[in-house]
Amino acid sequence: VPRIDIPTVTVTTTLVGAGPEEIETRITKPIEEAINTISGIDELRSVSVEGLSQVVVLFELERSLDAAAQDVRDKVATIAAQFPEGTDPSVVDKFDIDATPIMYITVSGSRDLKALTEIARKQVKEPLESLLGVGALQVGKPFERGGDREVSQRLQLAYQQ
């Protein structure tokens, strides 16, 4: 059976501390509206959660993934200045099903950011990287949760065949 890769582009944008409603109205919807004008879109999906917007664009099979990704980058660039202050630059990726994280690990605690990041790297990331089948392990941007100033560090684990 031949493998068919649907041209898919993701746009991930973060705003630490923003609630899902603010993410939806001030980031996700404007991105969707800008991207929706690109030709060859088959499906447009999005998720808005605390601090994170992710828009997934599935293109028709005939569409070049490289051209589609560039079109998405261009459209997002035209509206990025409208995002709330503190919004991290949007990351536009060509979707690779084989590189999709299969697990997220969150390390949380009341230690300072430097100590928690060191724990995430030395005690979680490095031991996991040596396991058979681990394709990639990324330590994400740290974030604070709630009023107790607990710091969290998220790691993304991708499988490699």
Side-chain angles (χ1 to χ4, degrees):
V1 176
R3 180 180 166 149
I4 298 175
D5 290 325
I6 297 170
T8 305
V9 177
T10 61
V11 181
T12 306
T13 311
T14 57
L15 176 57
V16 175
E21 297 81 18
E22 182 180 8
I23 294 289
E24 176 76 18
T25 58
R26 305 213 36 218
I27 298 174
T28 304
K29 287 295 181 195
I31 290 173
E32 288 177 334
E33 290 168 3
I35 290 174
N36 205 28
T37 62
I38 298 172
S39 65
I41 292 177
D42 185 43
E43 188 177 336
L44 185 64
R45 295 184 229 165
S46 65
V47 176
S48 299
V49 296
E50 182 180 327
L52 174 76
S53 164
Q54 185 162 57
V55 178
V56 179
V57 190
L58 288 84
F59 288 89
E60 296 168 352
L61 286 174
E62 306 78 37
R63 187 73 202 265
S64 157
L65 180 56
D66 290 332
Q70 189 58 53
D71 287 348
V72 170
R73 272 188 208 92
D74 293 345
K75 291 293 184 177
V76 171
T78 66
I79 60 163
Q82 300 170 19
F83 296 155
E85 186 175 331
T87 303
D88 293 320
S90 296
V91 176
V92 177
D93 284 319
K94 294 180 271 189
F95 185 75
D96 177 1
I97 192 67
D98 294 329
T100 302
I102 60 164
M103 181 186 307
Y104 290 93
I105 301 169
T106 302
V107 179
S108 299
S110 57
R111 296 186 182 200
D112 65 35
L113 177 61
K114 185 175 181 179
L116 189 65
T117 301
E118 188 68 17
I119 290 169
R121 287 184 201 281
K122 296 285 186 192
Q123 295 182 19
V124 180
K125 181 180 188 272
E126 290 176 5
L128 286 175
E129 284 177 325
S130 65
L131 297 176
L132 182 65
V134 174
L137 205 148
Q138 296 178 314
V139 177
K141 184 175 180 179
F143 58 96
E144 292 182 17
R145 295 190 58 96
D148 58 4
R149 297 192 43 83
E150 183 175 88
V151 178
S152 295
Q153 186 66 274
R154 179 174 285 158
L155 294 92
Q156 297 180 19
L157 179 67
Y159 176 73
Q160 178 182 32
Q161 294 183 1

